[in-house]
Amino acid sequence: GAVVSQHPSRVICKSGTSVKIECRSLDFQATTMFWYRQFPKQSLMLMATSNEGSKATYEQGVEKDKFLINHASLTLSTLTVTSAHPEDSSFYICSARSWGHGANVLTFGAGSRLTVL
Amino acid sequence: AQKITQTQPGMFVQEKEAVTLDCTYDTSDPSYGLFWYKQPSSGEMIFLIYQGSYDQQNATEGRYSLNFQKARKSANLVISASQLGDSAMYFCAMRPLISSGSARQLTFGSGTQLTVLP
């Protein structure tokens, strides 16, 4: 089946630094990828839609200058948390659509847990 | 607008027994898809099962089945013969199949934490 690889799985950084998270579709091409954020014991909230070759589409309330998204190729999207602060600490998870089970199914990466000190 | 409601924040089930996780939804879209995902403590989201609103039969995938009642707008997940490894958070989600752009993205419910007891 389709596999989405996300790296790093955990990252700890100091306040004010930037952190980059990579999301790769391993065995399929993804012109569109999605970035979600999840707080402990809560549901996933869509942050933005990453579009290959064009600008990302951000959901309402998500700062585009804080969360930079680049979709450089058909298999790679990156999320950069710029000038991270403790309130940015969260679980970030990416996904891409692939065809399976008779439908377009979102395949998720394993997620990246960011802790900002 | 779409809304997914999971009214059970936590559920317990004895190993080898069946369990039903509730999911109701609200949408004005004529055509939509319903999904269930499992999220173990490791964090990854694992796709379990899909049901299209136009499907006549309830979806099944191994020990997972979806009890789809369109008139009631419910899409409950049934797990048969529970195993210890089934302990996880379970999310119900839906998306319209016709709309474009961000409106086509998945909307998730708040999740149900399932604990399988030995």
Side-chain angles (χ1 to χ4, degrees), chain B residues 14-65:
Chain B
Q14 208 69 38
E15 193 178 8
K16 299 181 184 177
E17 291 187 352
V19 63
T20 297
L21 305 183
D22 294 342
C23 172
T24 57
Y25 60 91
D26 193 18
T27 182
S28 56
D29 294 290
S31 181
Y32 48 89
L34 295 155
F35 303 78
W36 276 92
Y37 284 86
K38 170 185 178 182
Q39 187 179 40
S41 57
S42 58
E44 63 182 308
M45 292 285 284
I46 302 168
F47 166 77
L48 296 179
I49 195 166
Y50 166 82
Q51 177 86 43
S53 61
Y54 42 81
D55 291 337
Q56 296 296 317
Q57 291 187 322
N58 287 344
T60 60
E61 288 281 353
R63 294 187 297 111
Y64 304 108
S65 60

Side-chain angles (χ1 to χ4, degrees), chain A residues 75-86:
Chain A
T75 60
L76 173 64
S77 174
T78 60
L79 168 68
T80 301
V81 183
T82 62
S83 186
H85 290 284

Side-chain angles (χ1 to χ4, degrees), chain B residues 2 11 25 44 67 70 73 76-78 97 109 111-112 116:
Chain B
Q2 309 155 71
M11 286 282 286
Y25 60 91
E44 63 182 308
N67 184 1
K70 194 171 183 177
K73 292 190 175 180
N76 299 340
L77 176 70
V78 180
L97 300 180
T112 296
V116 180

